[in-house]
Amino acid sequence: MTVATNPKPQRWDCSKANRVTLAGLLGDDYQLDHSAPSTRTLELYDSFDRPFSKNGQSLVRLGGIFSIIDDDQLSNPTTSSKQKIKHHRPVFWWDFEDGDFQSVLRSQLKLRAALPLAKADLEESLFRVRNADRKIVLRLSLHTILDSGEILAQTLTAHPLVGYEDEANDIAQRLSNSPDLSADTNGLLACVRELVDAPSALPSSKAQISLHPNESLQKAVTRIARTMLETARHSEPGIIDDIDTEFLHDYRVAIRKLRSVVTLVKGAYPAEERRRLKSEFGDHARATNRLRDLDVYLLQEDQYRNLVPENLRSGLDRMFDDFRRDRGREITTVRRRLRSKSYLKAMQQRTDWLNAEDLPAGARADQEIGSVVTREILKHYRHVRKLGMALTDSTPDEQVHELRIECKRLRYLLELFASLFDQKGLRKILRRLKGLQNVLGDFNDFSMQSIAMEDYLHKAPKLDKHTSAALGALIAVLYNEQLKARASVAERFSQFSDGKMRKRFQTLFSNLQSPEP
């Protein structure tokens, strides 16, 4: 048995439509009933990175209920939350109940907060269209977006009913013939997004800057440095307002990449200026080290608790309470620094310096970036292979850390100058490199976390036996995880340095290479 379904709705953009104008369009063959319009406040949310906007979707709040909606499907959400959120602070995926909505939100937001970006009134009017026999043959819904009482956009949607397809087609034809209605709908939510006072393209430490191989070294390095500095500065308000931990993370990554592009590709500026840049931005990064460490510990609280036996998990309460108090003090210190006259002056001076027309030239300032960066990439690749091939089970941890740092340098070179190379080949190299970096990062993280927990165990005053036992168990597990990661390094390195990978490096970076002058 086939179950009949309602035909697909049709939609039109319109302006200043109401019961009278719609009745006039339908003519004497149909009668129009309507209910009183309802008005709700519509709030548009997205994170700093705008993932929903980039995907043609909106995270919408209506009456405390959040929904994820395609821009042209306001009345038909993709998924909605079941619980009401009463506060108007930024929201995270973990603020919502388990289920499809939380899952989609998590994939889009990750660790970022969704912020309220724009607000408008949504007025909904519902109409029933009856034929001469007083039978309901079609339903209409009129959605109006208003800002301070001014109509920004209207959408009229026809909802056909089973068995009345002919009447629905007739009415749709009458509506489509009206010069005041357009079938090309842009979506009401896109209209609300226009109220957002934010740049369409936000600076990002992940941005791929379009470079030309013949561009001078100094020009290319300066363009990248300017982008990274702009990214760091755009992150400052989010750090100060403590919106989410990713603002600090982006700030630190941008500063690391700025330092890397200046120091790894030497010769854009005089050596003294290069050292000054490295030192200056190193100070900015170090000032946030403790805050970032605390963010990581607190973000991983559940994982830490799951590492120890269930009967010991409550013993970690004291440590995480102390970390939260420490973080409160640390964010205050960082806020004070970012607002200080000395910091603001230093950052403005460096911005002005990078935007100057004539910068002091280093030894390779006028050389072509393509050939210079190719030589640097191959040099660091060879160094990574040399360090990796020297690894044995008895290799000191310090040498493993050296390999991790060298892999990071190589990755920064590949990412910062990615636009110079074939994207498909580069993605394959980066995929393998990231796999090696993941195990090296795990090894370093477990090592540093184990040291931090031991330090807390020895320095925290008046720890009870339960807390001490829980910390001892956690430290032991972290050490074991460190050993597991250490054991995986050799396997991942072999995957990165096999014959295919060597050939990819030779092929990808041979075209731009020229002899050293």
Side-chain angles (χ1 to χ4, degrees):
M1 177 180 175
T2 302
V3 178
T5 57
N6 287 338
K8 186 178 179 180
Q10 289 184 264
R11 193 166 47 252
W12 299 267
D13 283 339
C14 48
S15 59
K16 299 182 180 179
N18 53 44
R19 180 177 179 276
V20 174
T21 57
L22 291 176
L25 293 175
L26 297 180
D28 296 333
D29 296 327
Y30 300 99
Q31 294 179 340
L32 195 64
D33 295 341
H34 79 289
S35 55
S38 62
T39 303
R40 294 180 290 172
T41 298
L42 181 151
E43 291 181 273
L44 188 67
Y45 280 66
D46 210 336
S47 76
F48 182 77
D49 296 333
R50 306 291 192 267
F52 288 103
S53 177
K54 291 174 182 176
N55 291 332
Q57 292 183 313
S58 295
L59 178 61
V60 171
R61 176 182 186 146
L62 277 169
I65 295 295
F66 282 79
S67 300
I68 297 169
I69 306 174
D70 291 338
D71 281 353
D72 60 349
Q73 297 287 337
L74 181 58
S75 58
N76 187 27
T78 302
T79 180
S80 299
S81 66
K82 294 181 174 62
Q83 68 185 68
K84 280 192 175 184
I85 300 294
K86 295 182 180 179
H87 66 74
H88 286 268
R89 300 186 301 273
V91 295
F92 297 86
W93 66 262
W94 54 79
D95 290 329
F96 297 88
E97 76 282 355
D98 293 343
D100 291 342
F101 179 80
Q102 188 198 72
S103 179
V104 175
L105 205 61
R106 182 176 187 173
S107 68
Q108 295 290 336
L109 296 180
K110 299 178 174 62
L111 295 177
R112 300 226 75 135
L115 315 169
L117 301 179
K119 182 187 292 187
D121 289 327
L122 172 64
E123 183 181 274
E124 182 180 44
S125 299
L126 302 178
F127 302 89
R128 295 175 298 276
V129 182
R130 299 179 184 273
N131 61 12
D133 297 329
R134 297 292 296 168
K135 300 276 188 168
I136 299 175
V137 297
L138 184 74
R139 298 184 189 276
L140 296 172
S141 60
L142 178 66
H143 291 95
T144 305
I145 296 291
L146 304 104
D147 180 33
S148 301
E150 178 185 353
I151 295 177
L152 300 181
Q154 278 187 323
T155 295
L156 179 67
T157 305
H159 307 273
L161 302 177
V162 175
Y164 294 98
E165 290 83 359
D166 291 343
E167 289 86 345
N169 291 333
D170 177 48
I171 294 170
Q173 186 63 50
R174 297 185 186 209
L175 295 174
S176 297
N177 289 338
S178 169
D180 296 325
L181 274 70
S182 169
D184 298 323
T185 63
N186 296 317
L188 294 178
L189 294 174
C191 174
V192 178
R193 193 175 294 119
E194 293 178 2
L195 299 174
V196 179
D197 184 19
S200 56
L202 295 166
S204 170
S205 60
K206 298 177 182 178
Q208 185 177 116
I209 299 166
S210 181
L211 303 171
H212 191 279
N214 297 330
E215 196 170 344
S216 74
L217 171 64
Q218 186 182 84
K219 181 179 178 182
V221 167
T222 302
R223 288 174 59 201
I224 294 172
R226 277 201 301 258
T227 299
M228 295 305 132
L229 179 55
E230 185 181 4
T231 299
R233 305 252 33 212
H234 269 78
S235 299
E236 290 168 2
I239 299 171
I240 291 170
D241 292 339
D242 201 15
I243 293 172
D244 62 46
T245 59
E246 289 298 281
F247 283 99
L248 178 62
H249 178 62
D250 286 355
Y251 174 89
R252 290 167 57 82
V253 170
I255 285 178
R256 280 203 302 270
K257 287 191 172 182
L258 189 156
R259 296 179 75 216
S260 295
V261 75
V262 169
T263 57
L264 293 178
V265 189
K266 296 180 177 65
Y269 315 117
E272 182 180 348
E273 192 62 50
R274 185 183 72 245
R275 287 191 291 269
R276 187 179 296 116
L277 280 164
K278 181 180 178 181
S279 173
E280 184 179 314
F281 285 96
D283 289 342
H284 295 324
R286 281 188 292 275
T288 65
N289 280 352
R290 179 58 178 165
L291 179 58
R292 178 57 186 169
D293 287 344
L294 290 167
D295 281 346
V296 171
Y297 299 150
L298 292 170
L299 284 169
Q300 296 182 346
E301 180 176 352
D302 289 343
Q303 291 95 309
Y304 286 133
R305 290 184 184 276
N306 290 331
L307 289 176
V308 301
E310 189 171 356
N311 65 314
L312 291 177
R313 290 173 187 172
S314 61
L316 298 178
D317 291 349
R318 161 74 187 276
M319 180 181 72
F320 286 112
D321 287 343
D322 286 347
F323 284 170
R324 273 183 276 273
R325 281 191 290 270
D326 289 349
R327 188 189 184 282
R329 290 189 289 267
E330 200 62 33
I331 187 64
T332 299
T333 301
V334 171
R335 277 195 190 110
R336 190 179 299 120
R337 174 184 173 82
L338 296 181
R339 287 170 169 161
S340 68
K341 290 182 180 179
S342 59
Y343 173 84
L344 294 172
K345 180 179 179 181
M347 293 297 261
Q348 187 58 54
Q349 286 177 339
R350 188 51 70 184
T351 300
D352 294 341
W353 188 86
L354 287 171
N355 282 289
E357 290 188 11
D358 296 314
L359 290 171
R364 298 194 294 182
D366 295 327
Q367 292 184 27
E368 293 181 354
I369 187 61
S371 58
V372 173
V373 79
T374 297
R375 289 196 298 271
E376 294 297 333
I377 287 172
L378 291 174
K379 180 180 75 175
H380 284 278
Y381 170 61
R382 287 191 290 267
H383 194 197
V384 166
R385 292 194 73 242
K386 180 180 178 180
L387 291 171
M389 293 175 69
L391 290 180
T392 66
D393 292 341
S394 59
T395 300
D397 288 353
E398 290 75 17
Q399 291 183 29
V400 181
H401 288 304
E402 185 180 353
L403 174 61
R404 179 184 64 84
I405 292 169
E406 191 60 28
C407 285
K408 182 181 289 188
R409 290 169 178 159
L410 176 59
R411 180 172 169 183
Y412 279 162
L413 283 170
L414 294 171
E415 291 180 340
L416 290 169
F417 297 98
S419 64
L420 296 172
F421 308 106
D422 174 68
Q423 297 300 294
K424 184 178 179 181
L426 187 62
R427 280 195 298 270
K428 291 179 179 179
I429 289 175
L430 283 170
R431 191 180 304 120
R432 288 287 184 91
L433 179 57
K434 289 176 183 178
L436 175 57
Q437 279 191 286
N438 285 342
V439 295
L440 289 168
D442 288 344
F443 171 74
N444 181 68
D445 290 346
F446 288 129
S447 174
M448 299 306 294
Q449 291 164 14
S450 180
I451 292 171
M453 301 307 162
E454 283 191 51
D455 186 64
Y456 176 83
L457 177 61
H458 294 311
K459 293 182 179 179
K462 299 179 181 179
L463 294 181
D464 58 35
K465 292 181 179 179
H466 188 50
T467 298
S468 298
L471 283 168
L474 178 59
I475 292 167
V477 173
L478 289 172
Y479 178 69
N480 285 332
E481 293 297 323
Q482 178 189 346
L483 294 179
K484 290 180 185 177
R486 173 70 173 80
S488 301
V489 171
E491 179 185 352
R492 286 301 179 97
F493 175 77
S494 66
Q495 294 172 358
F496 174 71
S497 63
D498 62 13
K500 286 184 178 180
M501 188 57 62
R502 289 198 299 274
K503 187 174 181 180
R504 285 192 184 116
F505 265 91
Q506 292 167 359
T507 302
L508 190 61
F509 302 111
S510 61
N511 295 334
L512 293 180
Q513 192 173 11
S514 61
E516 185 80 54

